[in-house]
Amino acid sequence: MENISKSKRLSTLFFSMLYISSCTCGGFVIVSLMKKRFSDELGWIDEERMLDLASIAQSSPGAIAVNASILLGYECAGFVGSIVAAVATIIPPLVILSVISVFYNAFRQSTVIATLLRGMQAGVAAVVFDVACGLGGKIVCARQWFSVAIMAVAFVLSCVFSVNVIYIILGGIAIGVGRIVFNGRRAA
């Protein structure tokens, strides 16, 4: 990580997360923008660590955007950074939902808003697909065949058999723990 003052790092963290949270509409999309900003542009965190944080955020209870921002904030600027990142991530949806709740009836019946939301869904799907291809492609290129097999099985379970994602995540955790135990015993 580059050597900048703590206040400058916190300021950059706050305004970056505020911007990212303002420009995303849900879940995993925020992770790709966080990776782009903090890994690719600023170099504060490496890509592998960002992938780890995304996995932890996804498997933790609560909103993935807030979970990921807390973990990223802690990684980049400690405890205060996690608070700063969480607050910056929460402000935009809080403001937007407050405005929507005041004008709910007008929004509910607006065809313009409905069309806008459908367009946003398409954009979100494209970003999630891009992230999946980018992260999955790195695993394939690194020839991590065990991880590729897990990805393929998870995809088939989710898309073909409609298995609840919670069970897939729990299975992935069990496989990961089993692999660590097996490798530990084999090394001993």
Side-chain angles (χ1 to χ4, degrees):
M1 282 192 261
E2 60 187 57
N3 195 6
I4 60 173
S5 71
K6 181 87 167 180
S7 62
K8 174 74 171 154
R9 181 176 293 273
L10 290 172
S11 172
T12 302
L13 181 64
F14 179 83
F15 287 110
S16 295
M17 289 308 301
L18 188 70
Y19 172 76
I20 290 169
S21 182
S22 298
C23 296
T24 57
C25 294
F28 205 74
V29 175
I30 197 169
V31 174
S32 68
L33 296 176
M34 288 167 58
K35 179 208 157 290
K36 189 170 289 184
R37 175 69 175 147
F38 295 100
S39 181
D40 299 345
E41 293 173 11
L42 296 174
W44 289 4
I45 185 170
D46 68 9
E47 197 168 312
E48 190 69 30
R49 186 67 178 147
M50 188 67 216
L51 181 59
D52 292 343
L53 296 180
S55 299
I56 294 168
Q58 177 73 28
S59 60
S60 301
I64 187 173
V66 177
N67 292 346
S69 68
I70 290 169
L71 293 168
L72 178 81
Y74 187 81
E75 189 75 19
C76 293
F79 180 74
V80 175
S82 65
I83 293 171
V84 166
V87 168
T89 302
I90 292 169
I91 289 173
L94 183 66
V95 170
I96 291 168
L97 288 174
S98 297
V99 169
I100 289 173
S101 69
V102 170
F103 300 105
Y104 176 72
N105 285 331
F107 282 137
R108 186 177 65 165
Q109 297 173 349
S110 171
T111 56
V112 172
I113 299 294
T115 304
L116 178 73
L117 291 174
R118 278 194 297 278
M120 290 169 64
Q121 287 175 343
V124 167
V127 170
V128 169
F129 183 73
D130 178 54
V131 170
C133 289
L135 296 176
K138 290 181 192 298
I139 291 172
V140 171
C141 289
R143 299 177 191 250
Q144 297 175 358
W145 301 120
F146 187 76
S147 298
V148 170
I150 292 173
M151 278 190 327
V153 168
F155 177 79
V156 169
L157 288 174
S158 177
C159 293
V160 175
F161 297 109
S162 299
V163 174
N164 190 320
V165 176
I166 297 296
Y167 299 129
I168 295 171
I169 291 171
L170 291 174
I173 291 169
I175 291 169
V177 169
R179 190 171 183 196
I180 289 170
V181 169
F182 177 75
N183 289 340
R185 286 187 182 162
R186 194 170 67 179

